Amino acid sequence: MTTYNMTSYGRVPFLLIGFPGLEAAHVWMAFPLGLMYIIALLGNGAILYVIMTDRSLHEPMYLFLSMLAAIDILISTSTMPKVLTLLCFDIEEISFNGCLVQMFLIHSLSAMESTVLLAMAFDRYIAICNPLRHSSILTNRRISCIALVSVVRGSVFFSPIPFLIQRLPFCNKRLLSHSFCLHQDVMKLACADTMPNIVYGLSAILVVMGVDVVLITLSYVMILRTVCRLSRKESLRALNTCMSHISAVLVFYIPLIGLSVVHRFERHSSPIIFIVMGDIYLFVPPVVNPLVYGLKTNMIRRSIVGLFQRRPS
């Protein structure tokens, strides 16, 4: 009983996991992950800087892209330093409160990114299906409101998650399945009824990410209907403006769905699958998004190239 009280209310730290069976290679694995982190910071930072400083880029598509870049920087910074510390120095512990904070940041920032991806889909829908009203519909004021809604939506829906975890006893179970804290991973360690966590966590994901996926799909159905009525040249040009966004949507949602599936069928999954899917979900989108948008978007590419070509007079 004494141990139960200590683990329930003493808030003992959790243990993060690296790559089981490959502990000797952890330092070497830190190099590609560290490189990914640097690329994410530099790529998203460059996009954020050129959009904020170049007034010609103060258009809805680029403003939404700047929001996406800011979120990617935050989500990388909330997770990657701890992962690199684990791999380089074998520091596995993360404090109970630190785990709750990281958990909230991961889930709320992911919800914000999902909201921004939905806004970008709406932008593409208006630009292709109703181009004459694009500037009157997506005004700077409405874009600011969308940014505020994304922050409030992500924070409100996922702020109860840490409190639901805080009420649970853990009875000396401390080892997580990832090198960071996820709600569905932490709650599995509890030695009490986790049904409220399961119901609320699933409901929050369905209401936020699930609704966003449906609306993004609907937007592209409407876009395809409009594109089919255009000439071949015009349709290719219209679809080309959507390719970067489609890539960002796929890179975000496919790992998210994959991670949810492996947690659902955990008994039939290898531990390494948990780790790989979790790392892809959190670390790949912040690296891929700036590369895709930098290569596919002419104005962004020219602005970034011009940024590095500048020389002091």
Side-chain angles (χ1 to χ4, degrees):
M1 187 67 181
T2 302
T3 302
Y4 181 88
N5 287 337
M6 182 181 67
T7 55
S8 298
Y9 303 107
R11 292 185 170 85
V12 296
F14 291 106
L15 296 177
L16 303 173
I17 194 169
F19 293 88
L22 299 173
E23 287 81 4
H26 273 182
V27 174
W28 297 105
M29 292 178 179
F31 283 100
L33 288 176
L35 181 61
M36 291 175 67
Y37 184 45
I38 292 171
I39 292 173
L41 291 182
L42 293 179
N44 288 292
I47 287 178
L48 196 58
Y49 177 79
V50 297
I51 291 175
M52 292 296 99
T53 56
D54 189 345
R55 295 192 64 84
S56 66
L57 297 178
H58 289 187
E59 299 177 6
M61 181 176 73
Y62 302 115
L63 294 175
F64 289 135
L65 178 56
S66 69
M67 298 177 202
L68 190 66
I71 293 170
D72 282 341
I73 290 174
L74 291 174
I75 203 166
S76 295
T77 303
S78 68
T79 53
M80 188 65 85
K82 187 62 181 176
V83 174
L84 295 177
T85 301
L86 166 64
L87 296 178
C88 292
F89 305 107
D90 203 27
I91 301 176
E92 299 175 336
E93 286 193 350
I94 181 171
S95 68
F96 186 88
N97 289 333
C99 187
L100 294 184
V101 171
Q102 188 183 67
M103 182 193 309
F104 169 72
L105 289 174
I106 290 173
H107 291 293
S108 61
L109 289 169
S110 296
M112 293 176 204
E113 183 154 349
S114 180
T115 305
V116 172
L117 289 172
L118 173 60
M120 296 173 83
F122 180 67
D123 168 67
R124 291 299 84 207
Y125 164 72
I126 298 297
I128 293 172
C129 300
N130 202 350
L132 297 180
R133 298 191 58 197
H134 184 259
S135 58
S136 62
I137 293 175
L138 287 173
T139 61
N140 288 338
R141 182 177 180 180
R142 284 181 177 151
I143 292 172
S144 299
C145 289
I146 291 172
L148 180 61
V149 166
S150 71
V151 173
V152 172
R153 189 174 182 234
S155 300
V156 168
F157 274 99
F158 289 95
S159 58
I161 294 291
F163 296 102
L164 288 171
I165 290 293
Q166 199 169 24
R167 71 180 181 85
L168 296 172
F170 290 93
C171 305
N172 292 323
K173 293 181 180 181
R174 303 171 60 199
L175 183 62
L176 298 173
S177 304
H178 298 283
S179 49
F180 40 80
C181 294
L182 294 176
H183 173 244
Q184 60 266 44
D185 191 23
V186 175
M187 74 176 181
K188 290 189 301 185
L189 300 182
C191 51
D193 181 22
T194 59
M195 187 55 66
N197 296 69
I198 295 171
V199 171
Y200 186 83
L202 181 60
S203 300
I205 290 176
L206 290 177
V207 170
V208 179
M209 281 76 160
V211 169
D212 291 349
V213 168
V214 171
L215 294 177
I216 289 171
T217 303
L218 181 61
S219 296
Y220 275 101
V221 169
M222 302 298 290
I223 287 172
L224 287 175
R225 287 182 58 187
T226 300
V227 165
C228 289
R229 295 196 291 264
L230 301 175
S231 66
R232 179 180 174 83
K233 185 177 180 180
E234 290 174 333
S235 62
L236 289 176
R237 185 186 302 137
L239 289 175
N240 188 54
T241 65
C242 300
M243 292 310 298
S244 297
H245 178 253
I246 292 173
S247 299
V249 168
L250 294 177
V251 166
F252 178 78
Y253 284 107
I254 289 178
L256 174 62
I257 294 171
L259 185 61
S260 300
V261 169
V262 296
H263 273 284
R264 174 65 180 83
F265 300 101
E266 57 180 309
R267 294 179 182 176
H268 309 287
S269 303
S270 167
I272 198 68
I273 295 178
F274 283 88
I275 298 165
V276 172
M277 289 301 301
D279 289 351
I280 291 174
Y281 164 58
L282 282 183
F283 304 148
V284 171
V287 174
V288 171
N289 288 340
L291 294 178
V292 169
Y293 276 98
L295 292 173
K296 291 289 294 180
T297 310
N298 290 331
M299 292 185 69
I300 293 290
R301 185 171 63 249
R302 285 198 298 266
S303 297
I304 292 177
V305 170
L307 177 65
F308 287 104
Q309 289 179 342
R310 289 175 188 170
R311 293 291 185 272
S313 56

